[in-house]
Amino acid sequence: MVNPSMQAKLDQLAAWRAKTAEGGGPQRVTQQKAAGKSTARERLAMLLDPGTFEEIDPFVRGDHNANPDSPEPVGEGVVTGFGRIHGRPVFCFSQDFTIYGGSVGELHSRKICKVMDLAYRAGTPFIGINDSGGARIQEGVDSLGAYGEIFARNARLSGVIPQISVILGPCAGGAVYSPALTDFTFVADGISNMFITGPQVTKAATGEDVTFEELGGALAHSTKSGVAHFRAPGEDACLRLVRVLLEYLPSNNQELPPAAAAQEPQGSPEELLAVVPPEPHKGYDVRDVLVRILDGGRLLEVHQEFAPNAVVGFGRLAGQACGVVANQPRFLAGCLDIDGSDKIARFVRFCDAFNIPLLTFVDVPGFLPGIAQEHRGIIRHGAKILYAYAEATVPKLAVILRKAYGGAYVAMSSRGIGADVALAWPTAEIAVMGPEGAAQVLYRNELAAASDPAELLARRTAEYRERYANPYVACARGMVDDVIDPRTTRERLCRALSVLSDKREDRPPRKHGNIPL
Ligand code: HXC
């Protein structure tokens, strides 16, 4: 029998709890649904293992009003707490657009910062669902300071715990910088919107007439800006994709990524013999190689729609999670350009920070030529790949499938910059440059004097190809460990990975290096 005074307190708690669950009230919830969006709590339920969410700070409110019947909504426009994904703990927040448009004020930020600090101390991933009008205008500069507190934590947690941002609504102005500081950003078609300046300001400043969607919709950020790493057709698919990503990630930088049962790859090893075309200039889909090597033929591509001349993503070899990097000869002949360099370098650094071994598949004719690339800084962007691979201390395994020319060869996890294992298929061509370009330089005078320069160039190119465009020159110098039968690629990589599983590599003590940004 509960005494009457306790019963009154329990009734009050139940009434207050019910009020917190209402968000901004039924009318605002209806508006949220009419916009094709779920509520903040529904989203957390989709993200987390069923029934695992525990809310923290549901009663936070800025008006110092402790009266449960106050008409003001409770919770400060953000739902925070912890739960589990695949049984492993995560801390998270979900902005509630039904309360002050999910805008960020001092207490809203304080709630987010509390779960960030807890995630850091507990060593768990941190996931934020963003749906906000940005800085709470009524709070003036306090809301800017509040954002600063979040950004500072994003930077401090970087490389310690995985940080994931899901954009399910507006994310405007300086607010975009918290997602930009996290490791992965997810967007959903027709729902996500990220921009520094909206269409109105854009038009006033530049005269460009654009819609929200064109400016900062899901497609724009997954294909053009590279701000988004994953795009999904809707909220549910987007949140499910976050769960898939977490299958590959450790909870923090002190842990190894979770292992899984080994699975056979797609197709048969025999098929690998037919994927790379014999013609050196012919494109092919490097994913046709990857699926025949990785467990279950599965690759979770990151930045799938951005810089398609490079492929990066997570897969498994005999159950061990790996970061996979490959040139994609289907686009730009697999050349490394500015965006491709950023894509690869950032992925390599993430994998290194979180103890995920790197598998690199090389078919690269070089860095992309042209004045546009030179003037936009292919030199400093390309240098990021070199830096990232050289800096990485996780096991680094490379397989050269076909072309590996010049600086791009060196950049793509070559032995020189620290690959632990460098293998080549018999189709590999490892050289300073392509045979035709090399013949043009080496035989310039002879070609200028020739009666039939085209015939001479073809002959000299063939000679060069015969002599240098193969893996054995690099093998003879120890730059490639072995030339392998493509059908044995998976078993060679599995064996190498297992002997390197306890790899330790030191770096000199320093505050931090200075990656060319
Ligand atoms: C306070 C806000 C708000 C904000 C929206 N609301 N944004 N309240 N501060 N920043 C409120 C609205 O007033 C409204 O309340 C309710 O949320 C729902 O907003 P609507 O405008 O009705 O929704 P919608 O039509 O869907 O438009 C969404 C929107 C728009 C595009 C996000 O609300 C908007 O443009 N908001 C302002 C965006 C902005 O300029 N933010 C500041 C950016 S600068 P009522 O009660 O009227 O229904 C910034 C700097 C960050 O963020 C710097 C960090 C370093």
Side-chain angles (χ1 to χ4, degrees):
M1 173 75 183
V2 182
N3 73 55
S5 142
M6 175 52 98
Q7 189 58 56
K9 287 186 190 305
L10 291 177
D11 291 345
Q12 185 190 53
L13 174 62
W16 272 60
R17 176 122 14 238
K19 186 174 165 65
T20 66
E22 282 171 4
Q27 196 189 333
R28 302 239 180 225
V29 170
T30 305
Q31 283 167 358
Q32 175 85 350
K33 302 273 174 170
K37 302 197 288 184
S38 305
T39 65
R41 287 181 178 78
E42 285 169 347
R43 288 167 169 175
L44 288 169
M46 290 181 220
L47 173 70
L48 301 168
D49 294 348
T52 61
F53 180 59
E54 277 196 36
E55 192 168 344
I56 297 174
D57 283 341
F59 299 121
V60 165
R61 61 194 302 166
D63 60 0
H64 299 277
N65 186 347
N67 175 1
D69 299 322
S70 157
E72 284 301 306
V74 190
E76 279 295 302
V78 63
V79 181
T80 57
F82 60 88
R84 288 182 183 267
I85 292 182
H86 312 305
R88 296 154 65 210
V90 299
F91 281 85
C92 46
F93 74 81
S94 180
Q95 290 178 316
D96 186 348
F97 194 81
T98 68
I99 299 179
Y100 317 131
S103 57
V104 177
E106 190 185 349
L107 285 164
H108 179 117
S109 161
R110 215 187 280 172
K111 283 182 71 171
I112 292 177
C113 290
K114 186 191 273 189
V115 275
M116 293 180 88
D117 292 343
L118 285 165
Y120 178 65
R121 293 205 287 266
T124 78
F126 180 69
I127 305 168
I129 302 176
N130 294 258
D131 184 4
S132 166
R136 188 166 305 162
I137 295 161
Q138 303 87 310
E139 292 198 24
V141 293
D142 282 348
S143 69
L144 301 183
Y147 265 117
E149 297 275 343
I150 297 172
F151 300 162
R153 281 170 176 77
N154 284 135
R156 207 177 306 145
L157 271 49
S158 180
V160 181
I161 54 172
Q163 299 182 81
I164 292 170
S165 297
V166 190
I167 314 297
L168 295 180
C171 183
V176 296
Y177 286 114
S178 177
L181 286 164
T182 62
D183 297 302
F184 298 105
T185 295
F186 288 69
V187 290
D189 289 335
I191 295 172
S192 313
N193 235 288
M194 290 179 89
F195 48 83
I196 295 285
T197 53
Q200 237 179 330
V201 177
T202 302
K203 182 153 193 203
T206 68
E208 292 159 347
D209 210 352
V210 284
T211 62
F212 275 110
E213 189 61 29
E214 289 163 341
L215 193 64
L219 194 65
H221 284 310
S222 61
T223 59
K224 291 186 177 12
S225 71
V227 166
H229 302 85
F230 296 94
R231 178 170 72 96
E235 288 189 353
D236 195 21
C238 195
L239 294 164
R240 269 187 282 126
L241 200 52
V242 174
R243 294 175 58 88
V244 175
L245 172 64
L246 283 170
E247 287 174 22
Y248 295 94
L249 310 189
S251 292
N252 59 62
N253 66 337
Q254 308 281 323
E255 286 185 7
L256 292 173
Q263 283 178 20
E264 286 304 308
Q266 189 179 304
S268 80
E270 215 60 36
E271 291 164 7
L272 283 171
L273 299 179
V275 177
V276 176
E279 304 86 348
H281 296 297
K282 201 162 170 196
Y284 63 95
D285 190 341
V286 75
R287 288 172 298 198
D288 289 338
V289 174
L290 305 179
V291 297
R292 288 171 174 82
I293 291 171
L294 299 171
D295 282 17
R298 264 198 307 276
L299 175 71
L300 177 64
E301 272 192 62
V302 177
H303 264 151
Q304 185 175 22
E305 300 174 298
F306 178 66
N309 45 316
V311 171
V312 304
F314 297 102
R316 291 184 184 279
L317 262 189
Q320 154 88 66
C322 298
V324 179
V325 179
N327 307 111
Q328 173 57 291
R330 260 180 78 193
F331 295 96
L332 301 177
C335 278
L336 294 172
D337 65 344
I338 287 172
D339 287 344
S341 299
D342 286 1
K343 171 172 169 174
I344 291 173
R346 184 165 168 78
F347 182 73
V348 166
R349 294 192 98 217
F350 176 84
C351 291
D352 185 47
F354 290 101
N355 313 315
I356 301 171
L358 288 161
L359 306 181
T360 304
F361 295 86
V362 185
D363 188 346
V364 65
F367 285 98
L368 186 65
I371 194 166
Q373 289 285 307
E374 293 288 357
H375 287 188
R376 282 181 53 219
I378 183 73
I379 295 174
R380 66 193 163 82
H381 288 278
K384 293 177 194 178
I385 307 184
L386 290 149
Y387 192 104
Y389 271 117
E391 175 191 51
T393 58
V394 288
K396 292 178 281 193
L397 285 58
V399 184
I400 300 169
L401 307 176
R402 190 171 62 168
K403 294 174 196 155
Y405 291 149
Y409 152 68
V410 182
M412 290 297 294
S413 198
S414 62
R415 165 52 44 80
I417 60 163
D420 299 298
V421 171
L423 303 172
W425 283 8
T427 41
E429 305 174 7
I430 307 160
V432 173
M433 60 202 298
E436 192 154 311
Q440 272 166 344
V441 174
L442 289 176
Y443 305 107
R444 192 174 47 185
N445 294 340
E446 206 184 328
L447 285 165
S451 56
D452 186 350
E455 181 277 329
L456 181 64
L457 179 62
R459 191 149 41 88
R460 292 295 189 217
T461 302
E463 282 167 16
Y464 184 93
R465 179 181 299 286
E466 178 67 25
R467 186 149 175 212
Y468 296 111
N470 61 65
Y472 297 102
V473 182
C475 240
R477 315 291 299 167
M479 291 161 66
V480 165
D481 304 328
D482 201 2
V483 180
I484 62 168
D485 181 331
R487 291 170 291 192
T488 65
T489 309
R490 176 178 157 90
E491 60 184 269
R492 297 291 292 251
L493 289 175
C494 286
R495 269 190 252 147
L497 198 58
S498 90
V499 296
L500 288 166
S501 62
D502 287 331
K503 179 191 168 189
R504 294 284 175 268
E505 196 177 351
D506 290 332
R507 291 284 179 265
R510 57 182 169 184
K511 189 168 175 190
H512 56 71
N514 190 12
I515 186 166
L517 296 172

